[in-house]
Amino acid sequence: MALIVYEQEGVYIHSSCGKTSDQDSLISGILRVLEKDAEVIVDWRPLDDALDSSSILYARKDSSSVVEWTQAPKERGHRGSEHLNSYEAEWDMVNTVSFKRKPHTNGDAPSHRNEKSKWSFLFSLTDLKSIKQNKEGMGWSYLVFCLKDDVVLPALHFHQGDSKLLIESLEKYVVLCESPQDKRTLLVNCQNKSLSQSFENLLDEPAYGLIQAGLLDRRKLLWAIHHWKKIKKDPYTATMIGFSKVTNYIFDSLRGSDPSTHHRPPSEMADFLSDAIPGLKINQQEEPGFEVITRIDLGERPVVQRREPVSLEEWTKNIDSEGRILNVDNMKQMIFRGGLSHALRKQAWKFLLGYFPWDSTKEERTQLQKQKTDEYFRMKLQWKSVSQEQEKRNSRLRDYRSLIEKDVNRTDRTNKFYEGQDNPGLILLHDILMTYCMYDFDLGYVQGMSDLLSPLLYVMENEVDAFWCFASYMDQMHHNFEEQMQGMKTQLIQLSTLLRLLDSGFCSYLESQDSGYLYFCFRWLLIRFKREFSFLDILRLWEVMWTELPCKNFHLLLCCAILESEKQQIMEKHYGFNEILKHINELSMKIDVEDILCKAEAISLQMVKCKELPQAVCEILGLQDSEVTTPDSDIDEEENVGMTPCPASTFQSNALPTLAASGVRDDSPTQTSVSSDGCRLTPA
């Protein structure tokens, strides 16, 4: 049976078929929103036709995409008398994709009844693209529905009451937000902010498939959507709080009350995630084109040593008389192994981030700074000179400013550099981020970017230098904040590939707890661990990563090192989905940066020495035939002074039995399927 969740009489179409050309014909009808079999239908029909299912029109599209309205096939209107007075018969009709009245042949004028019948329509909510509202104070409230193929349906005028109740009903099923171009237009499932989009995808159309399959309780899903709509208004700060609550509710409803369903096959969650996040594939079956390998013995993991930070004296020794940096590779290796002393960061970061070329002279850098200063203030003047009246007509700039002001006021406020009211550091954060919107208006500002700028401004203590270092850093991080978030999806897949090679048993356990997609690492990757380490530790971690040593995507090995450190507790205490998420979140500010750098480097060296490394892993790490230049090479013995040995890892993947998805130990050899293109992973 169809459930009517909204019904309103006195909803009119103002047609142009009146007696005179300037007179509209008012066609009264009933508007309903209905639920049936996990689908939500919006249905309007003239009052006379409300009980006649055969009068429903459906769209027909020819090869040139010209569409017309045609009467529903007769066989659809004769399904037995039990269907004639219900909405059951309409659910298998083709969804409308246009509104264009079919011309009458031979000049025959239709009867009044037939004329009104031609205005009936229904469509599935999954086909809805946007809703346009009337201007305030313009008579009756009306709405215009636009479908996903840009078909526009006739305006519905609400003569009895307004359209607010309808909007509220629709918001139970879809996310609506104002269009940046037109406040009167509400976009459906809008994803204009990249960060919010990634989580919102979890509650998009694929969830309806779970309802249809009987896996997800509708009421709980609607609660989750309602909760998520609050989160999406401030996706960054609310993500890890709200996401836990929402996912908890969803997975509780997925599992239901039957204890036998508490250990669902990981394929269910994998299918859900692969649908909800296009491109994120964590499959459970082998597929053609995948490289199937037995578990690889990566060999013994070496002990790695860290050195003291590079001093100002060491830096100065490597500069020639004209100010060029000598032996750049050696300098990068020293920075990788020990980081930089704080007094040196203001100079060295400009080179590491690409603001200054490594082979530039002091004079060339001075000229470059002058040029970049002029360029910066020209861009700053662009937004500074926008009047309030202009900004009223520039919704994108207005939205950017609003987001920036909110984020700046909560970025690193416990740091002395940014604490207190009217702090000049906060003003500079705001101005740099606003100017970046002028520099890259397509991307503009996305929540989380203030976290990347804050340490740069702290070190540079100069607005212009901080801006250009930030712009260079954003060149590296841009893909994290793009609307489709393809960069984030790719990194999660690559991380899964690496972790499975290191410890397939741990991966199997995570999959058994619906965590195999590693979504709890999202924040780590998005803003490069900014919220996981103390402020000073982040300075050290970032400068090490900026050397691009010892391999490509070293930050993914850092993720592996952290997860390896937490593996024992997660598995021994049998953490489930929520416990894993909570545990990972609570690691914030508790991770030893030097220990993790040691472990990550040791993992890279272990992989480099492996002669049977899968091609997918080689591509992720940028290795050719398992050979790479490591920081151990070309370092003089005297540079090892002050090095601190790191403890050898207690984790050796080849020494551990596999833990199957069911939680049962499996000492038999296992196989792992790795995509040859490095983009997909298939555990066998």
Side-chain angles (χ1 to χ4, degrees):
M1 293 294 292
L3 173 65
I4 298 176
V5 295
Y6 170 88
E7 184 174 62
Q8 177 68 50
E9 294 186 10
V11 180
Y12 287 74
I13 287 179
H14 295 192
S15 77
S16 58
C17 56
K19 295 180 180 179
T20 62
S21 59
D22 60 349
Q23 178 182 2
D24 279 353
S25 174
L26 304 184
I27 303 176
S28 177
I30 297 178
L31 181 64
R32 293 185 175 98
V33 177
L34 308 103
E35 284 186 25
K36 185 174 186 294
D37 297 333
E39 191 170 14
V40 181
I41 293 292
V42 177
D43 177 290
W44 183 92
R45 65 188 64 191
L47 212 50
D48 293 344
D49 294 340
L51 299 178
D52 185 0
S53 64
S54 65
S55 66
I56 296 296
L57 301 178
Y58 74 101
R60 184 174 66 198
K61 184 178 293 187
D62 63 18
S63 58
S64 61
S65 296
V66 176
V67 293
E68 62 181 9
W69 285 82
T70 61
Q71 195 72 22
K74 291 182 179 180
E75 62 270 22
R76 297 193 182 224
H78 297 83
R79 295 174 179 250
S81 58
E82 68 273 16
H83 290 288
L84 294 179
N85 294 326
S86 75
Y87 276 78
E88 301 284 323
E90 287 91 73
W91 284 84
D92 16 41
M93 299 244 175
V94 179
N95 293 333
T96 58
V97 295
S98 174
F99 188 84
K100 181 179 179 181
R101 287 179 295 163
K102 185 176 180 180
H104 304 292
T105 58
N106 303 323
D108 296 334
S111 66
H112 179 66
R113 160 88 182 238
N114 287 339
E115 180 62 34
K116 289 199 290 185
S117 296
K118 290 186 176 297
W119 299 95
S120 302
F121 65 82
L122 63 84
F123 61 86
S124 171
L125 203 55
T126 58
D127 293 328
L128 184 60
K129 177 182 179 182
S130 64
I131 305 172
K132 188 162 187 176
Q133 306 173 94
N134 61 295
K135 291 183 179 178
E136 293 185 8
M138 294 292 289
W140 288 305
S141 171
Y142 72 80
L143 296 177
V144 178
F145 295 110
C146 178
L147 305 185
K148 287 184 178 178
D149 51 3
D150 295 324
V151 170
V152 179
L153 299 176
L156 298 180
H157 297 257
F158 293 75
H159 289 203
Q160 300 175 11
D162 57 31
S163 58
K164 289 182 180 178
L165 288 177
L166 173 63
I167 296 298
E168 290 176 2
S169 296
L170 297 180
E171 285 184 322
K172 295 177 182 177
Y173 306 98
V174 293
V175 178
L176 300 175
C177 69
E178 287 184 1
S179 166
Q181 287 74 35
D182 183 2
K183 279 190 171 181
R184 294 167 54 199
T185 300
L186 299 176
L187 302 179
V188 180
N189 287 342
C190 53
Q191 299 171 349
N192 59 334
K193 293 295 179 287
S194 300
L195 185 56
S196 64
Q197 173 196 5
S198 179
F199 293 97
E200 189 170 304
N201 279 342
L202 289 174
L203 302 176
D204 209 339
E205 293 178 17
Y208 288 101
L210 291 176
I211 300 172
Q212 197 165 14
L215 298 174
L216 184 56
D217 180 82
R218 173 178 297 280
R219 294 182 183 274
K220 291 188 176 183
L221 175 67
L222 298 186
W223 178 92
I225 292 176
H226 173 73
H227 191 81
W228 172 246
K229 285 171 60 183
K230 295 180 179 178
I231 295 173
K232 76 182 289 294
K233 294 178 181 178
D234 182 10
Y236 178 69
T237 57
T239 288
M240 303 317 291
I241 299 173
F243 179 59
S244 178
K245 296 178 181 177
V246 172
T247 48
N248 180 41
Y249 219 88
I250 290 176
F251 288 114
D252 282 350
S253 61
L254 276 168
R255 294 183 175 96
S257 57
D258 182 2
S260 66
T261 65
H262 288 189
H263 296 285
R264 299 178 298 107
S267 57
E268 285 185 12
M269 190 57 208
D271 291 343
F272 175 59
L273 263 295
S274 65
D275 288 340
I277 309 176
L280 181 56
K281 301 294 185 183
I282 303 175
N283 301 314
Q284 305 300 315
Q285 300 296 329
E286 297 178 17
E287 295 184 15
F290 279 67
E291 177 186 0
V292 180
I293 54 176
T294 55
R295 181 187 297 169
I296 293 175
D297 182 357
L298 294 176
E300 184 179 353
R301 185 172 299 179
V303 175
V304 172
Q305 293 180 326
R306 300 279 299 162
R307 54 156 286 160
E308 291 297 316
V310 177
S311 66
L312 185 59
E313 181 182 0
E314 288 176 302
W315 177 268
T316 304
K317 285 181 180 179
N318 280 273
I319 299 178
D320 69 11
S321 58
E322 293 185 334
R324 294 185 186 87
I325 307 298
L326 303 174
N327 201 349
V328 174
D329 290 342
N330 185 63
M331 178 58 68
K332 286 184 178 180
Q333 290 170 359
M334 292 166 62
I335 295 171
F336 174 81
R337 301 308 298 273
L340 295 159
S341 61
H342 189 69
L344 186 53
R345 285 180 171 135
K346 189 178 295 187
Q347 295 182 58
W349 279 22
K350 296 170 188 174
F351 292 92
L352 288 169
L353 286 165
Y355 176 30
F356 286 169
W358 285 96
D359 60 352
S360 61
T361 64
K362 183 177 180 180
E363 178 62 27
E364 289 170 342
R365 294 194 291 272
T366 301
Q367 292 301 318
L368 178 64
Q369 279 185 301
K370 288 181 180 179
Q371 173 192 334
K372 292 295 186 181
T373 299
D374 290 342
E375 190 175 345
Y376 173 77
F377 283 107
R378 279 198 302 271
M379 291 187 291
K380 184 173 181 178
L381 184 62
Q382 291 174 0
W383 65 267
K384 279 280 194 180
S385 61
V386 174
S387 67
Q388 289 185 349
E389 287 299 315
Q390 284 178 297
E391 192 164 316
K392 287 180 181 178
R393 296 183 291 274
N394 191 333
S395 59
R396 291 186 69 186
L397 183 61
R398 198 166 58 245
D399 290 345
Y400 289 154
R401 186 191 295 273
S402 176
L403 278 173
I404 289 169
E405 288 174 352
K406 289 178 182 177
D407 274 11
V408 163
N409 285 326
R410 58 193 178 207
T411 300
D412 291 323
R413 296 306 303 275
T414 58
N415 187 302
K416 289 185 178 180
F417 192 80
Y418 297 110
E419 69 181 3
Q421 297 297 320
D422 301 319
N423 187 299
L426 298 180
I427 297 171
L428 290 179
L429 273 179
H430 172 274
D431 289 1
I432 291 171
L433 292 170
M434 284 296 296
T435 305
Y436 186 80
C437 292
M438 301 294 106
Y439 176 78
D440 188 348
F441 208 85
D442 286 340
L443 179 63
Y445 179 79
V446 180
Q447 287 173 313
M449 287 165 56
S450 62
D451 276 288
L452 300 184
L453 172 60
S454 171
L456 298 173
L457 180 58
Y458 171 84
V459 168
M460 294 299 152
E461 299 179 303
N462 176 284
E463 181 178 4
V464 175
D465 289 343
F467 172 83
W468 289 111
C469 286
F470 175 66
S472 296
Y473 197 15
M474 280 303 300
D475 287 344
Q476 301 176 28
M477 303 292 291
H478 198 284
H479 60 280
N480 280 15
F481 297 95
E482 291 168 358
E483 185 169 351
Q484 298 304 316
M485 302 202 79
Q486 189 56 49
M488 291 299 299
K489 298 169 188 173
T490 299
Q491 289 174 85
L492 287 170
I493 294 167
Q494 291 175 334
L495 177 57
S496 178
T497 302
L498 294 174
L499 190 61
R500 181 165 297 279
L501 176 67
L502 290 167
D503 192 342
S504 60
F506 187 32
C507 280
S508 295
Y509 178 82
L510 292 175
E511 286 169 0
S512 73
Q513 303 303 321
D514 298 322
S515 299
Y517 49 91
L518 306 178
Y519 214 61
F520 46 80
C521 299
F522 187 94
R523 188 175 68 184
W524 300 357
L525 300 173
L526 182 75
I527 51 176
R528 285 297 190 270
F529 309 101
K530 171 62 166 54
R531 292 295 178 97
E532 317 315 317
F533 294 89
S534 69
F535 195 86
L536 293 180
D537 281 351
I538 274 297
L539 307 185
R540 173 61 39 79
L541 187 68
W542 282 5
E543 63 199 14
V544 167
M545 289 194 293
W546 290 338
T547 65
E548 299 181 341
L549 292 173
C551 60
K552 182 180 173 183
N553 286 317
F554 181 63
H555 68 287
L556 298 180
L557 297 185
L558 290 167
C559 293
C560 291
I562 297 173
L563 292 174
E564 173 191 315
S565 299
E566 304 306 317
K567 167 198 166 183
Q568 184 175 359
Q569 182 171 345
I570 289 172
M571 294 183 69
E572 286 186 354
K573 294 188 176 181
H574 306 290
Y575 283 168
F577 178 88
N578 290 306
E579 291 83 6
I580 293 172
L581 181 63
K582 180 175 182 290
H583 178 72
I584 295 299
N585 290 340
E586 290 176 349
L587 292 177
S588 179
M589 305 300 158
K590 299 176 183 176
I591 307 173
D592 186 321
V593 68
E594 295 294 334
D595 179 57
I596 292 303
L597 284 170
C598 279
K599 288 181 178 178
E601 184 185 354
I603 292 172
S604 72
L605 294 173
Q606 186 181 27
M607 289 190 174
V608 165
K609 293 178 181 178
C610 178
K611 300 302 182 182
E612 301 176 353
L613 209 59
Q615 182 62 30
V617 174
C618 289
E619 291 175 1
I620 292 170
L621 301 181
L623 307 180
Q624 295 296 329
D625 299 325
S626 299
E627 292 180 1
V628 68
T629 301
T630 67
D632 282 323
S633 60
D634 302 326
I635 293 184
D636 297 332
E637 291 183 4
E638 63 185 16
E639 290 171 353
N640 287 323
V641 176
M643 286 189 173
T644 304
C646 296
S649 170
T650 56
F651 158 78
Q652 294 295 338
S653 63
N654 58 304
L656 289 177
T658 300
L659 185 70
S662 61
V664 179
R665 287 168 58 97
D666 178 10
D667 295 301
S668 61
T670 61
Q671 289 187 326
T672 301
S673 302
V674 183
S675 166
S676 59
D677 60 6
C679 295
R680 302 182 68 181
L681 175 71
T682 306

